[in-house]
Amino acid sequence: MPKYSIINSNFWGSHQKTAFSFLPQTLEYLNAGGRVSNASYLGAKLLKIYPSIEIKDGLLVAGKKYRGSFKKAALHFVEDFLKQDQLDLTSLKLVETVGLDPDTKAAIENLLKEQGIQPGEWLQAGAVITCHGGPGAFGISAIKK
């Protein structure tokens, strides 16, 4: 069996067991890439709306929208992520792109500690998340039981 077949079968078997979402701090990069219209971009910027992006079945799809400051939106985003059924919270990973505010990171870590979850180390986002989320994006991931 060719190596790519083994990798492909492992990926398609495991992607359904992974929950991953991220919250872009700006829609500028999604707008530049043609994924968000100019009207949506301007509306979100004016109203301080931050849409979450989820990976479902290997595809990036729009999730819930959050309003307010990015820090406030990020905290609500984490709370909603933790409400998902059957997550193995010991596998929880936090992901950031360059430019995430240290105060936001600290607030997220404190929220997790209040929930009895050890935050662990932060991971640097890869190219796909960075290209779509831009600077200051935040992501969270866990394995489903």
Side-chain angles (χ1 to χ4, degrees):
M1 180 184 284
K3 287 185 181 180
Y4 68 86
S5 295
I6 295 169
I7 292 169
N8 195 22
S9 66
N10 285 337
F11 169 75
W12 289 111
S14 65
H15 82 286
Q16 293 177 338
K17 297 177 187 172
T18 304
F20 180 78
S21 298
F22 70 99
L23 193 66
Q25 192 164 345
T26 176
L27 295 182
E28 183 177 340
Y29 292 82
L30 289 166
N31 176 255
R35 304 221 180 244
V36 172
S37 71
N38 287 338
S40 295
Y41 166 70
L42 290 173
K45 189 172 184 173
L46 289 171
L47 297 173
K48 294 186 178 184
I49 297 173
Y50 302 97
S52 65
I53 311 292
E54 301 174 1
I55 297 184
K56 290 191 176 180
D57 297 325
L59 302 172
L60 295 171
V61 297
K64 186 174 177 182
K65 294 172 181 66
Y66 299 90
R67 288 204 58 199
S69 70
F70 185 73
K71 182 177 175 180
K72 179 181 169 186
L75 293 174
H76 287 297
F77 171 69
V78 171
E79 289 170 347
D80 288 345
F81 184 86
L82 295 175
K83 290 178 186 174
Q84 293 182 55
D85 289 336
Q86 300 185 351
L87 290 180
D88 177 8
L89 296 178
T90 62
S91 70
L92 189 83
K93 301 291 181 207
L94 301 173
V95 181
E96 67 175 319
T97 63
V98 173
L100 183 61
D101 180 45
D103 289 341
T104 302
K105 286 175 66 171
I108 291 165
E109 290 173 354
N110 289 336
L111 174 65
L112 291 172
K113 287 176 186 174
E114 288 171 8
Q115 301 283 334
I117 301 166
Q118 190 59 30
E121 69 178 288
W122 286 78
L123 304 174
Q124 195 67 37
V128 172
I129 302 305
T130 302
C131 286
H132 287 83
F138 160 66
I140 189 167
S141 175
I143 303 294
K144 297 176 186 175
K145 293 181 186 177

